[in-house]
Amino acid sequence: MPVMRRFDPERAHDLALYALRVGLAGHAAEHDDPVLGVETLGLRFANPIGLAAGFDKNAIALTGLSRLGFGFIETGTVTPRPQAGNTRPRLFRLEPDQAVINRMGFNNAGLEAYLKRLARRPRAGVPVGANVGVNRDGARPERDYPALIAAVAPCADYAVINVSSPNTPGLRDLQSEARLRAILRAVAEQVSERPPLLVKISPDLSDEALAAIVESCVAEGVQGLIVSNTTIARPPGLRSPLASEGGGLSGAPLFAMSTAVLARAFLLARGRLMLIGVGGVASGREAMIKILAGATLVQLYTAFAYAGPALIPRLKRDLAAALRAAGFVSVQQAVGKDAQHLAECR
């Protein structure tokens, strides 16, 4: 990993994907501790630690990624048509802060190429999610999201509607109650056979907006929320000279903010939605805190980019130890047990 950091961040990311694609990234050597097993969304997860969307946008490295020990992998974000994304540079390492800023702009090869790769993966392996979004130009969300969900339904174990990236103009406006309900109703009306459906939300929501999203998702038949995407805020104390770059911030500085939003979402949902916690997780302790805040599953991105595959077995061992030390015999027994307190830690 230190060698990879000598490269431009986007070049290093492309090299990592290549290594995974050709089988150079290794293989998990140990079986998962039974305490980590989770059943949710009608699926069985050997452990609750997943890879967040954005790492493998085009589903080109699923075989390599599935060997690393993740409990699930989320691919995308994929858009209906291929999209180059924003101009470079658009990805920045904030190494003193263990953070990343990106303004990628949904760069991907488009739905057709994505589906060809996703359809080839073994369905009996690690659960795979499909994260979908709309193109920057010519988007009609009430048309595009149902078409995307229908397209990925035959080959994805769950699907995610992304309305929270800060790098596509106007996308976050789709989190408003009226727009989100319209999109979700269009999906329900137009896609009769669909996998479990989740919505990925921003950490920058007001309490009122978060409550409206929760109620909209429950009313329109969504199964869960992913909390959260990157933030446009810049928490105090960032040390990197790149902290003023535009785009979404992820990594360690996002942990407290995203965890508080997660806990508030858990309290609002009252068991009606399954939550995936993401944002700043780099250790078993932090994964445990996400679960205590209300997450049934947890996702990584920035910490994986910094630490590489060696992080995954270490994180799972530490999480299993933390669960047992706290007296829990399963992940699901711990979900939300400290949500009230963590919701107040803003």
Side-chain angles (χ1 to χ4, degrees):
M1 297 308 295
V3 172
M4 294 291 279
R5 285 199 287 275
R6 295 177 185 175
F7 292 95
D8 164 83
E10 193 163 350
R11 176 62 175 158
H13 181 259
D14 291 342
L15 289 170
L17 282 173
Y18 174 78
L20 286 158
R21 189 175 185 180
V22 300
L24 298 179
H27 195 292
E30 56 190 48
H31 294 292
D32 288 327
D33 191 313
V35 76
L36 297 177
V38 175
E39 292 187 13
T40 187
L41 301 177
L43 301 167
R44 170 71 182 174
F45 299 81
N47 70 78
I49 306 303
L51 179 63
F55 189 89
D56 189 2
K57 294 174 184 285
N58 296 307
I60 65 172
L62 276 175
T63 300
L65 287 167
S66 67
R67 294 171 177 162
L68 300 182
F70 284 112
F72 63 109
I73 298 162
E74 191 169 310
T75 55
T77 298
V78 62
T79 56
R81 290 173 281 108
Q83 186 162 275
N86 296 322
T87 56
R88 302 188 188 202
R90 55 193 182 181
L91 184 63
F92 307 91
R93 295 190 195 98
L94 282 64
E95 293 199 38
D97 306 299
Q98 289 295 287
V100 166
I101 290 174
N102 94 81
R103 50 174 182 263
M104 304 297 287
F106 283 173
N107 58 306
N108 73 103
L111 182 63
E112 183 178 355
Y114 172 85
L115 288 175
K116 289 178 181 177
R117 298 189 183 100
L118 198 62
R120 291 198 295 263
R121 61 108 183 172
R123 290 306 298 268
V126 174
V128 173
N131 185 302
V132 303
V134 293
N135 286 106
R136 181 186 183 102
D137 300 317
R140 289 171 52 193
E142 289 84 352
R143 173 201 66 190
D144 295 342
Y145 281 111
L148 286 159
I149 299 300
V152 304
C155 45
D157 294 303
Y158 69 90
V160 181
I161 291 177
N162 189 343
V163 287
S164 53
S165 170
N167 301 315
T168 296
L171 188 78
R172 284 189 166 191
D173 295 341
L174 302 181
Q175 294 178 116
S176 71
E177 184 173 8
R179 293 305 306 276
L180 183 57
R181 281 188 181 253
I183 290 166
L184 297 177
R185 284 175 182 167
V187 171
E189 291 168 0
Q190 298 175 40
V191 191
S192 57
E193 298 291 331
R194 59 184 181 271
L197 186 65
L198 292 84
V199 174
K200 187 166 186 175
I201 64 173
S202 163
D204 303 317
L205 296 164
S206 67
D207 289 350
E208 294 77 13
L210 179 61
I213 286 173
V214 168
E215 293 306 320
S216 296
C217 288
V218 170
E220 303 302 333
V222 169
Q223 281 70 53
L225 296 176
I226 299 182
V227 188
S228 65
N229 214 316
T230 57
T231 179
I232 57 173
R234 296 294 181 265
L238 293 176
R239 294 173 291 162
S240 171
L242 297 172
S244 61
E245 289 286 348
L249 175 73
S250 63
L254 181 58
F255 181 78
M257 177 192 301
S258 61
T259 303
V261 177
L262 170 67
R264 297 203 299 275
F266 177 82
L267 295 173
L268 289 164
R270 302 191 306 279
R272 297 173 294 169
L273 296 170
M274 190 280 289
L275 306 182
I276 298 179
V278 55
V281 175
S283 68
R285 173 184 171 274
E286 287 160 340
M288 180 70 168
I289 291 171
K290 291 286 189 187
I291 292 165
L292 293 171
T296 300
L297 301 171
V298 177
Q299 288 180 331
L300 314 176
Y301 188 133
T302 301
F304 178 63
Y306 274 108
L311 171 67
I312 303 163
R314 182 170 70 248
L315 192 153
K316 291 190 294 182
R317 286 194 300 270
D318 291 349
L319 174 59
L323 286 164
R324 287 203 165 89
F328 298 116
V329 299
S330 70
V331 169
Q332 283 159 301
Q333 195 177 62
V335 172
K337 291 301 184 184
D338 204 15
Q340 191 67 57
H341 166 70
L342 291 168
E344 299 167 0
C345 298
R346 309 191 186 198

